[in-house]
Amino acid sequence: MDLHGRNGQPQSGVDVSGVDQRTRAQVGIQCRGRGDGSAWTNSRLTQKDLREEVAKARSFYPKLDVFVVLTTGPNDVRLKKAAAEISERQARDGSFEVQVHGWDWIEGHLSEHADLAVRYGLIAVASPDFHDATTASTIAKQIGSRLATAVELMNDRRSVNERFTLQSISKHLGFPDWRKLEAIIEGRPDVSASELVNVARALGINEQWLLEGKQTPFLVDPEDYRGAAEQFDSIQRLNPRRIVFVRQSEDDFESIVAAEIDHFRWVTSSHVGGTGKYQLLEYCCLIRRLYRTFDHPGACTLQGKHLERADFMRLWAGDVYPGTFLHWGHNDHWWIDFAELATGRVEGTSDSARELREAIRIARVVLANHQGPSERDGWMRTQLVHAGMPVNEPKSAAHYPLDLGLSRDRIDVDG
């Protein structure tokens, strides 16, 4: 379907036109608003209005097979009867069929396309206090149920004293009264899509999941980063108060970065690390750069964690609130050993320890190969310089001494 012209232009009585993919019929639609925008107080479309719209649509090109009039007024049996009579006369002349539908008909179809209802701000166009349930209130209740689920997930494994309450969440959202949040959860009030988006963003909830039921509950950065520089810039823009480098415990060097923005909100990276040799060195550069930038008094805290594969994948997908796994527990310093390429400090025979030692070995080889001129030298040089890695000091990977630690002193890359 396509818009046909705009307000103020001659439209031959047609606002939207297109071909019905099921019947191949040429369809034209005329939209007639009524009154103040309320579905329940609007004046009705009259039979005279309908005849006038049909007369204008006869001049539309290409020739129509079906002409539909949509109105924000309620359905009207007399209008539908008039449309049927006009259609019967038109059929004798080989002209188009006429249909007319009111707002309650439109609401009936919104239940099949809740994402459109949300996108265009139609989630609460009618009050649920009326005796017949409306599609809008059904959608609002679905959204409220998902918000309640998100809060429940946020409180998973928390003690009573640490739980997020409607009062604490409302204060964080800037609501003057916690009962407004309760009303949203129950699907009762008229709430705009923009208000719900603000709620989602303030709590680290995936807005597509909250509004449309798509994807997963919690916010995973949608960008698939290609290098350390892009990842660093994204994390820096978040201005986090804590960064957690998370690895899975099994035999793989998969890792994600979770950033805690405030007491409520986390963002999880879509993907970092990987087993490719350039990915490993870039990931090492990313960790070093984050440490050199953030680890000082008044900045954020950096930590490391290992998770079993099932929990790791749930966190990576956004199925679980990050604080559930990352809010407490031991700080695993695997990330700083990796950033310093300190193979000797990685002890143990576990899969994760063996993978970490192998990742360090590979990163050392790539680093040694990039000390001399190469076709990739310009690409890697920037990453190395930003991370404080030595540049243009060719040595064998086996004896490469990287004893710089994570000093924040500037390095003279040209000396």
Side-chain angles (χ1 to χ4, degrees):
M1 307 301 289
D2 293 308
L3 289 175
H4 180 236
R6 63 178 186 271
N7 285 342
Q9 287 186 321
Q11 296 173 303
S12 298
V14 174
D15 291 320
V16 181
S17 65
V19 176
D20 187 323
Q21 296 302 304
R22 295 165 298 179
T23 65
R24 309 309 301 172
Q26 183 72 39
V27 180
I29 300 173
Q30 171 62 213
C31 305
R32 293 299 299 268
R34 276 293 180 267
D36 62 2
S38 167
W40 303 101
T41 61
N42 285 343
S43 59
R44 285 173 166 77
L45 193 74
T46 66
Q47 294 183 43
K48 179 175 180 291
D49 293 331
L50 179 61
R51 288 193 295 270
E52 290 175 350
E53 296 301 335
V54 170
K56 287 187 285 186
R58 291 194 184 103
S59 64
F60 183 79
Y61 182 83
K63 183 180 177 181
L64 297 177
D65 298 307
V66 180
F67 177 60
V68 183
V69 178
L70 300 179
T71 173
T72 52
N75 274 339
D76 188 320
V77 174
R78 290 169 298 180
L79 266 184
K80 288 188 174 292
K81 181 180 178 182
E85 292 172 350
I86 295 172
S87 294
E88 186 177 350
R89 289 196 301 271
Q90 299 242 120
R92 291 195 292 265
D93 299 332
S95 192
F96 51 76
E97 174 191 352
V98 178
Q99 301 175 12
V100 60
H101 300 296
W103 186 253
D104 37 359
W105 179 90
I106 295 173
E107 282 189 337
H109 286 275
L110 285 179
S111 62
E112 303 169 21
H113 305 282
D115 55 333
L116 296 179
V118 170
R119 186 184 310 170
Y120 294 102
L122 304 175
I123 58 170
V125 292
S127 170
D129 294 333
F130 285 94
H131 66 279
D132 55 338
T134 67
T135 300
S137 63
T138 300
I139 295 171
K141 288 177 181 177
Q142 291 171 348
I143 292 172
S145 176
R146 286 193 288 269
L147 181 56
T149 298
V151 174
E152 185 178 343
L153 289 171
M154 291 168 66
N155 283 322
D156 187 26
R157 305 190 189 184
R158 287 182 177 264
S159 67
V160 173
N161 292 333
E162 292 180 311
R163 289 175 65 84
F164 296 111
T165 64
L166 294 187
Q167 291 90 335
S168 64
I169 295 172
S170 295
K171 184 177 180 180
H172 176 67
L173 295 173
F175 290 169
D177 191 328
W178 62 270
R179 282 170 291 192
K180 178 175 180 179
L181 183 61
E182 181 184 54
I184 294 175
I185 287 176
E186 293 178 356
R188 288 190 280 111
D190 293 350
V191 183
S192 70
S194 60
E195 284 182 293
L196 289 170
V197 167
N198 289 337
V199 169
R201 291 176 179 174
L203 298 179
I205 298 171
N206 182 343
E207 61 191 68
Q208 278 198 299
W209 176 81
L210 179 63
L211 300 182
E212 305 174 28
K214 297 179 179 179
Q215 300 181 13
T216 51
F218 292 101
L219 192 58
V220 176
D221 196 321
E223 296 186 53
D224 186 12
Y225 297 112
R226 293 183 296 275
E230 293 91 342
Q231 295 180 57
F232 175 83
D233 289 342
S234 178
I235 294 171
Q236 189 175 44
R237 283 194 298 270
L238 294 172
N239 191 27
R241 73 176 192 173
R242 185 150 58 110
I243 297 171
V244 185
F245 302 101
V246 188
R247 282 188 65 206
Q248 65 175 18
S249 299
E250 279 79 0
D251 184 6
D252 204 346
F253 200 79
E254 292 293 357
S255 176
I256 52 181
V257 177
E260 184 183 24
I261 313 305
D262 52 41
H263 183 58
F264 294 83
R265 184 171 39 134
W266 291 77
V267 176
T268 303
S269 66
S270 57
H271 183 261
V272 295
T275 55
K277 57 183 181 179
Y278 296 113
Q279 287 178 315
L280 288 172
L281 184 55
E282 280 201 309
Y283 190 25
C284 176
C285 290
L286 171 65
I287 295 177
R288 287 177 64 90
R289 192 174 177 191
L290 288 171
Y291 185 93
R292 292 158 63 88
T293 302
F294 287 110
D295 192 51
H296 57 81
C300 74
T301 303
L302 284 82
Q303 296 180 327
K305 302 282 185 183
H306 275 94
L307 293 179
E308 298 299 322
R309 178 175 177 79
D311 290 339
F312 178 89
M313 297 307 295
R314 290 175 65 201
L315 180 63
W316 192 354
D319 284 325
V320 65
Y321 180 63
T324 300
F325 297 138
L326 307 180
H327 186 58
W328 308 272
H330 174 67
N331 180 14
D332 186 334
H333 291 281
W334 72 267
W335 63 276
I336 200 166
D337 293 335
F338 179 54
E340 292 184 321
L341 298 180
T343 311
R345 289 209 301 254
V346 182
E347 301 177 349
T349 59
S350 66
D351 289 339
S352 58
R354 181 180 57 79
E355 282 287 318
L356 180 56
R357 284 193 293 269
E358 177 64 9
I360 291 173
R361 185 193 69 79
I362 293 171
R364 279 178 171 271
V365 170
V366 182
L367 180 59
N369 290 342
H370 277 79
Q371 300 314 292
S374 77
E375 61 182 16
R376 299 176 66 89
D377 183 62
W379 163 79
M380 199 57 179
R381 180 187 177 93
T382 300
Q383 308 285 41
L384 298 174
V385 170
H386 282 314
M389 296 283 200
V391 178
N392 293 333
E393 297 178 9
K395 298 187 178 171
S396 67
H399 301 92
Y400 197 89
L402 188 59
D403 299 322
L404 299 174
L406 291 175
S407 167
R408 298 182 192 85
D409 295 336
R410 294 180 60 83
I411 296 175
D412 182 4
V413 298
D414 296 318

